Amino acid sequence: RWFTHFYVVSVLWNGFLLICLFQAEFLGESLPSWIQDMHHALGRDSQSKDMGNEHFSALLVLMLLWLHSCRRLAECLWTSVFSSGVIHIVQYCFGLGYYIAVGSTVLCQVPANVRNGKKLSVQICWYHIIGVMMYIWASLHQHRCLAILANLRKSRSGKVVSLSHSVPFGDWFESVSCPHYFAELLIYVSMAITLGIHNVTWWCVVMYVLFNQALAAVLCHEFYQKNFSSYPKHRKAFIPLV
């Protein structure tokens, strides 16, 4: 349940960055000086070649990241039913820092001076369309899977009746034990596509999400197998057929 704090921070911080970038791109305003200093500290050259498409891609990805955080926050507050599980203080602090860093990573994909005050000309490309469609598809499945998990602990009337673990069925649960983790990976891949596919920095973020979610999925898969003798043997841990 403490993951809720991560999404509160992400909604506030990444929403602030989204507003700053939007004002810089469309209203011709400059980014705050401390953000430009952060760009410089992270190695982003303010005199980098001005690529309008990259600017719009970064703005779009930052918006998708913010929307993802909003949805996850809403699910934590009104959909998920949490047990009494705890989180390590190191993991908690790292999680808070991650959601601050990931938005800053998107912002650093554009020069700090942001087109020298010139307004952005929006250019929608094929990879924007594919990325956004994949984002919507993965987000819908992630929400469905989280709802399935929550409903395992509720009665038909919607009242919470148990905090114990049960075997989920339906949607992508028919293929993997943790489809919500797999959907999370797909969401980050969709953002990589939206950035233009070639962005090495964001693919590093995708690799982090892959290993992070895979580890959690394997541990969860082993828990199911250990505690439920009739657990479906055809199910994989994380990625279908793998």
Side-chain angles (χ1 to χ4, degrees):
R1 71 180 72 246
W2 286 61
F3 272 57
T4 305
H5 297 184
F6 298 167
Y7 300 118
V8 170
V9 169
S10 183
V11 167
L12 295 176
W13 171 251
N14 293 316
F16 168 72
L17 294 183
L18 180 60
I19 291 173
C20 289
L21 186 57
F22 182 88
Q23 291 177 332
E25 298 285 14
F26 289 101
L27 304 180
E29 298 181 10
S30 298
L31 290 173
S33 59
W34 62 270
I35 290 184
Q36 297 189 39
D37 293 339
M38 179 180 67
H39 272 69
H40 180 71
L42 294 175
R44 180 67 188 190
D45 183 6
S46 63
Q47 302 303 319
S48 297
K49 185 178 180 181
D50 189 13
M51 299 289 289
N53 234 27
E54 291 183 0
H55 285 73
F56 179 66
S57 297
L59 182 66
L60 189 56
V61 169
L62 194 55
M63 183 179 68
L64 295 179
L65 180 63
W66 180 74
L67 290 174
H68 176 62
S69 301
C70 288
R71 178 180 61 80
R72 291 293 295 116
L73 176 59
E75 289 167 341
C76 285
L77 294 175
W78 297 299
T79 301
S80 298
V81 179
F82 298 103
S83 63
S84 57
V86 298
I87 185 173
H88 195 284
I89 185 63
V90 174
Q91 185 183 9
Y92 177 74
C93 293
F94 180 84
L96 293 176
Y98 169 78
Y99 281 100
I100 293 176
V102 73
S104 304
T105 299
V106 178
L107 193 63
C108 286
Q109 301 313 298
V110 298
N113 55 16
V114 188
R115 298 175 60 84
N116 294 313
K118 297 179 181 178
K119 295 183 180 180
L120 175 70
S121 58
V122 177
Q123 299 177 3
I124 299 178
C125 298
W126 61 270
Y127 50 82
H128 294 149
I129 297 174
I130 293 177
V132 171
M133 289 180 63
M134 182 177 179
Y135 171 89
I136 294 173
W137 174 64
S139 296
L140 287 173
H141 278 284
Q142 187 177 56
H143 176 74
R144 289 173 185 169
C145 292
L146 290 171
I148 288 173
L149 288 175
N151 288 334
L152 291 175
R153 295 175 171 177
K154 298 178 181 179
S155 64
R156 291 188 176 181
S157 63
K159 182 180 179 180
V160 177
V161 294
S162 173
L163 295 181
S164 62
H165 294 280
S166 304
V167 178
F169 291 93
D171 206 82
W172 286 354
F173 279 109
E174 300 303 323
S175 300
V176 294
S177 295
C178 300
H180 47 308
Y181 295 158
F182 178 53
E184 184 81 2
L185 174 63
L186 293 180
I187 287 170
Y188 277 83
V189 170
S190 73
M191 295 181 189
I193 295 173
T194 305
L195 274 174
I197 302 177
H198 62 276
N199 191 293
V200 177
T201 301
W202 195 257
W203 281 111
C204 290
V205 176
V206 172
M207 292 302 295
Y208 163 75
V209 173
L210 168 63
F211 292 125
N212 177 275
Q213 300 295 290
L215 174 60
V218 168
L219 293 175
C220 186
H221 184 65
E222 292 176 348
F223 172 85
Y224 280 130
Q225 291 178 321
K226 179 180 179 181
N227 290 276
F228 300 97
S229 58
S230 60
Y231 192 71
K233 297 184 181 301
H234 68 277
R235 286 191 192 179
K236 304 302 181 182
F238 179 44
I239 300 176
L241 305 178
V242 176

